[in-house]
Amino acid sequence: MGTLARLGLAAVWLISGALKISDPGQTYVAVQAFDVLPDSLVRPVAIGMPLAELALGLFLLAGYLTRWVSVLSVLMLALLIAAIAQSWVRGLSIDCGCFGGGGQIAADQTQYPQEIARDFGFALLGVWLIVRPRTRLSVDGWLGNSRVPADDDYVGIAEGNE
């Protein structure tokens, strides 16, 4: 389960980052549409977000520093969920641009509940990996970090031993 969670979350970040970085102008429009950042921060966020997503994806794909990358993933997803929720509450009509695109859309095209549920599901993958970061086919596993339980080591977690 852990390996699938790690590779699944890696795919989310790699796809999301690649789609954003391939169209930086649209990513700028998407970040600006949330209307929460001062104009001076829109461009740095629009540039930095896809780079951060790609970095998270690559680290997860390799299975390196999995617990810490998962913590960062959950924090980033929490920020994205909060951004989507504030747009919904404020009555903005935008596409989040989470997987490319983004920006203003017609009010009947918004999908805030689905976007929040999707990102919450991705966050659950991250939480799983925070608790159980050592997975098969990972750099963490090859390094033999004995302080981190393997996928099938339920006893150590149940007893509070890591």
Side-chain angles (χ1 to χ4, degrees), residues 12-85:
V12 166
W13 289 131
L14 291 170
I15 292 167
S16 177
L19 289 170
K20 286 182 183 116
I21 209 162
S22 70
D23 192 354
Q26 189 61 48
T27 302
Y28 178 89
V29 169
V31 171
Q32 189 176 42
F34 282 96
D35 195 30
V36 292
L37 296 173
D39 289 338
S40 63
L41 290 180
V42 172
R43 184 166 309 284
V45 169
I47 292 169
M49 184 182 306
L51 295 174
E53 291 173 348
L54 289 171
L56 291 171
L58 290 172
F59 273 88
L60 286 169
L61 184 64
Y64 184 61
L65 300 174
T66 303
R67 174 174 283 146
W68 298 110
V69 173
S70 297
V71 167
L72 292 174
S73 293
V74 170
L75 291 173
M76 191 156 169
L77 286 160
L79 286 173
L80 293 170
I81 290 168
I84 294 166

Side-chain angles (χ1 to χ4, degrees), residues 92-128:
L92 300 178
S93 297
I94 66 170
D95 174 351
C96 73
C98 294
F99 289 94
Q104 299 293 325
I105 58 173
D108 64 341
Q109 293 180 324
T110 60
Q111 297 184 353
Y112 298 126
Q114 297 93 323
E115 292 168 347
I116 290 170
R118 176 200 61 213
D119 287 353
F120 184 75
F122 295 153
L124 289 177
L125 294 176
V127 169
W128 178 273

